[in-house]
């Protein structure tokens, strides 16, 4: 049952036409580096600031991309996979309680998973799914110099 | 390959099957769920508020109030990005989110968006969480 639901969900992700979001206003909710928990621990603002800027695509998950341990974290992994994004940093909060709380404080966001694009907090699973459905994710990836494979698939279909 | 309508129907059917097993108890609304509903009504004056306790579908004890899905339709979301809308919801529920609730799936729509697509999304199956075993949905 979970297998077929997974496939149906993946197909739906591909073809869904969800409601679009508002304009691309910059998120004001992320705390500036240096505020919040001090010290050099894995959850400190300084460390996290460096982490989210180290790669173009950074995600904080429960589990790993190979073995997600949360359905919502898995959804983030599957969406990135659908777009052919292979080169991203994934951090498993289940391995590190300091990281788990630290990233919630840093992002000012209470839940996991969390997605960062180009050092900027984007949102959780719901928002990433919405961006995938309305085409925003393809655009945001393009700005980062990442070409979504869905563009190539669409091209193949258009030419048939 | 699923067309849009068929895909939505299949997912919503699957969602209904899961949800009938997911509720914390037949018709029981716990204190956390009641608080969430009240706070969202006060903060966002919603046209539509669909709230579901999905804890039963996750690796937590029966009767838990830890995983929720909410669809909020409110004119207060006009002009706000998805991120800003979600932050509004979080702000209304800061106490619950700092406390028992550690998963909150949000659909935040304006009235016009909801009329275009009046569909409650469904949550993906649990994968066991920190218990490190694969849960069955």
């Amino acid at each position: 049952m979970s297998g077929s639901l997974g496939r149906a969900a993946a197909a739906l992700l591909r073809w869904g036409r969800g409601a679009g979001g508002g304009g691309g206003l910059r998120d004001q909710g992320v705390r500036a580096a240096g505020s919040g928990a001090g010290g050099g621990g894995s959850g400190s603002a300084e460390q996290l600031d460096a982490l989210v800027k180290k790669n173009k695509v950074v995600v904080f998950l429960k589990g790993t991309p190979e073995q997600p341990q949360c359905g919502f974290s898995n959804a983030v992994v599957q969406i990135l996979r659908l777009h052919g994004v292979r080169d991203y940093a994934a951090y498993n909060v289940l391995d590190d309680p300091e990281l788990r709380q630290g990233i919630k404080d840093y992002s000012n966001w209470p839940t996991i998973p969390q997605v960062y694009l180009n050092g900027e907090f984007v949102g959780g699973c719901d928002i990433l799914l919405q961006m995938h459905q309305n085409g925003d994710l393809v655009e945001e990836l393009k700005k980062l110099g990442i070409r979504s494979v869905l563009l190539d698939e669409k091209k193949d279909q258009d030419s048939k | 390959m699923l067309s849009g309508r068929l895909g939505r129907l299949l997912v919503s059917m699957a969602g209904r099957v899961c949800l009938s097993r997911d509720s914390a108890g037949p018709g029981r609304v716990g204190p956390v769920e009641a608080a969430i509903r009240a706070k969202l009504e006060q903060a966002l004056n919603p046209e539509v508020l669909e709230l579901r306790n999905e804890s039963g579908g996750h690796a937590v004890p029966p009767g838990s109030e830890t995983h929720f899905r909410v669809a909020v339709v409110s004119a207060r979301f006009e002009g706000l990005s998805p991120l800003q809308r979600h932050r509004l919801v979080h702000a209304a529920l800061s106490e619950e989110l700092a406390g028992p609730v550690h998963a909150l799936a949000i659909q935040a729509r304006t009235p016009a968006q909801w009329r275009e697509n009046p569909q409650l999304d469904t949550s993906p199956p649990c994968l066991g969480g920190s218990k490190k075993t694969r849960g069955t949905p």
Side-chain angles (χ1 to χ4, degrees), chain A residues 46-134:
Chain A
E46 290 79 10
Q47 287 259 349
L48 291 169
D49 198 58
L51 272 190
V52 304
K53 292 181 169 135
K54 217 163 73 167
N55 299 81
K56 289 179 182 176
V57 181
V58 179
V59 298
F60 296 86
L61 306 172
K62 289 184 181 175
T64 64
E66 296 74 32
Q67 193 169 5
Q69 285 173 244
C70 156
F72 301 105
S73 290
N74 184 40
V76 166
V77 171
Q78 294 312 319
I79 291 171
L80 292 177
R81 183 170 294 156
L82 275 178
H83 286 264
V85 179
R86 282 186 187 80
D87 201 15
Y88 63 94
Y91 298 98
N92 182 359
V93 304
L94 295 181
D95 275 348
D96 187 344
E98 270 187 29
L99 177 66
R100 185 173 181 172
Q101 187 53 50
I103 193 61
K104 291 177 183 178
D105 293 338
Y106 178 81
S107 309
N108 193 20
W109 189 264
T111 51
I112 304 292
Q114 297 189 10
V115 179
Y116 277 81
L117 293 179
N118 203 29
E120 198 176 316
F121 181 62
V122 160
C125 157
D126 296 328
I127 290 180
L128 194 70
L129 178 60
Q130 203 172 317
M131 289 174 68
H132 162 72
Q133 288 173 330
N134 68 18

Side-chain angles (χ1 to χ4, degrees), chain A residues 110, chain B residues 32-41 43-44 49 51 68 70 72 86-101 104-106:
Chain B
V32 176
E33 184 173 340
I36 292 175
R37 183 174 293 277
K39 288 181 182 182
L40 289 178
E41 277 173 357
L44 297 170
L49 179 60
L51 178 60
F68 286 89
V70 65
V72 190
H86 285 214
R87 287 200 186 283
L88 261 192
V89 174
H90 290 162
L93 304 176
S94 56
E95 204 179 304
E96 288 70 26
L97 288 163
V101 178
L104 181 63
I106 300 171

